Amino acid sequence: MKSVSIIVIFFLLTFSVWAGRFMETFDDDLADWQELNAHNAIPGSWEIIDAELEMTNPGGGARFFTTGDETWQDYSIEVNVKPLEKRGPGNIGILARVKENRAVWCLVSDLFLNDPESKVMCISRDFNEKVHEALYIKPHRLLRLNKWSKLKLSVGGDHFTFSIDGKKITETGDPFILLHRGEQLMIKTKDISSHPTGSTGFGLANYTARFDNITITGAGIPDKGGLSVIPRGKLATTWASLKRF
């Protein structure tokens, strides 16, 4: 029993060393972030307001903010987002394993092949070649205006899981229906072996939205941030958000 306890303690200590937590609360600047204009989108704007990032993209081409290292492999990214204005058919989503303009991209959108029905989608995307492979598509309501939502995308090995407001939407292996030339095809969600490593981020098209409390956790993720540095007013808002989720 004693040896088992020692092994468990060693494992926990080792895990605590390996696993990191990066939290962005937008209290200062965007030094850790880079813009990715993967769709040659028209100019937008972004600024930190009340310790939240307000981002405007007035066109249909998505713009992203990314952070991290192309060697990152297994991690989760959580993003709190509050849409303020919808300017036309658009999307809001998060990215994982971004490398050389390739990414796993999960989003909520009504900007897809001129289909007016809003959907939740996960896509294996090559922004340079302007091609994508559908990992998952299903009808889903848009994120509500002036209300905080939480998006989460986890990647581990060849597996991914996407959640909204704590509810799992899809993971590798889930079936979905794809409409192709008038036929409904039953397809299983594919793995993400074509995206073994990469950085992470979030973005939007045809929206103005606020982003906050970006949390990235996983092996090799550098520690940054925490609730201790959040201003008092924001702390109350964050606590309310945590209680809701």
Side-chain angles (χ1 to χ4, degrees), residues 21-200:
R21 180 175 180 269
F22 176 103
M23 186 170 186
E24 178 63 77
T25 54
F26 300 114
D27 295 304
D28 39 38
D29 55 38
L30 296 172
D32 294 312
W33 298 85
Q34 304 82 41
E35 184 191 13
L36 173 59
N37 186 358
H39 290 117
N40 294 318
I42 63 176
S45 65
W46 53 88
E47 61 180 322
I48 295 176
I49 301 175
D50 297 330
E52 298 166 355
L53 177 66
E54 182 166 308
M55 188 175 180
T56 295
N57 183 358
R63 303 173 77 100
F64 305 101
F65 273 109
T66 65
T67 191
D69 190 302
E70 289 190 347
T71 65
W72 286 4
Q73 185 174 12
D74 298 337
Y75 56 84
S76 295
I77 175 173
E78 298 180 59
V79 176
N80 286 359
V81 57
K82 179 170 69 172
L84 301 178
E85 181 181 356
K86 191 170 186 296
R87 299 167 175 269
N91 58 63
I92 297 176
I94 50 180
L95 301 171
R97 295 193 175 164
V98 184
K99 187 174 183 180
E100 298 175 355
N101 275 5
R102 294 184 299 105
V104 178
W105 182 19
C106 290
L107 62 156
V108 182
S109 172
D110 61 355
L111 178 63
F112 184 70
L113 297 178
N114 297 317
D115 185 347
E117 184 179 35
S118 61
K119 294 176 172 59
V120 61
M121 298 185 287
C122 287
I123 297 170
S124 171
R125 181 78 190 196
D126 185 327
F127 297 109
N128 280 338
E129 299 297 327
K130 297 181 173 58
V131 296
H132 68 267
E133 181 178 20
L135 301 176
Y136 185 79
I137 301 176
K138 189 174 182 178
H140 192 280
R141 65 169 179 80
L142 295 173
L143 302 182
R144 294 176 183 172
L145 293 178
N146 300 305
K147 180 180 179 180
W148 287 103
S149 296
K150 182 187 290 290
L151 308 181
K152 180 178 181 180
L153 178 57
S154 300
V155 290
D158 296 339
H159 191 92
F160 77 92
T161 305
F162 179 55
S163 303
I164 300 177
D165 291 337
K167 179 181 179 181
K168 189 190 79 173
I169 301 299
T170 186
E171 65 179 320
T172 306
D174 284 346
F176 66 98
I177 295 175
L178 180 65
L179 186 63
H180 179 67
R181 296 180 179 178
E183 294 186 34
Q184 290 187 340
L185 305 178
M186 180 65 74
I187 299 176
K188 282 191 175 182
T189 301
K190 298 181 180 180
D191 65 37
I192 53 173
S193 55
S194 59
H195 303 272
T197 63
S199 57
T200 186

Side-chain angles (χ1 to χ4, degrees), residues 2-15:
K2 184 176 181 180
S3 62
V4 172
S5 300
I6 292 173
I7 292 172
V8 171
I9 292 171
F10 176 77
F11 173 79
L12 291 175
L13 290 174
T14 304
F15 182 80

Side-chain angles (χ1 to χ4, degrees), residues 213-224:
N213 295 335
I214 316 298
T215 305
I216 307 163
T217 54
I221 304 300
D223 289 323
K224 178 200 171 177

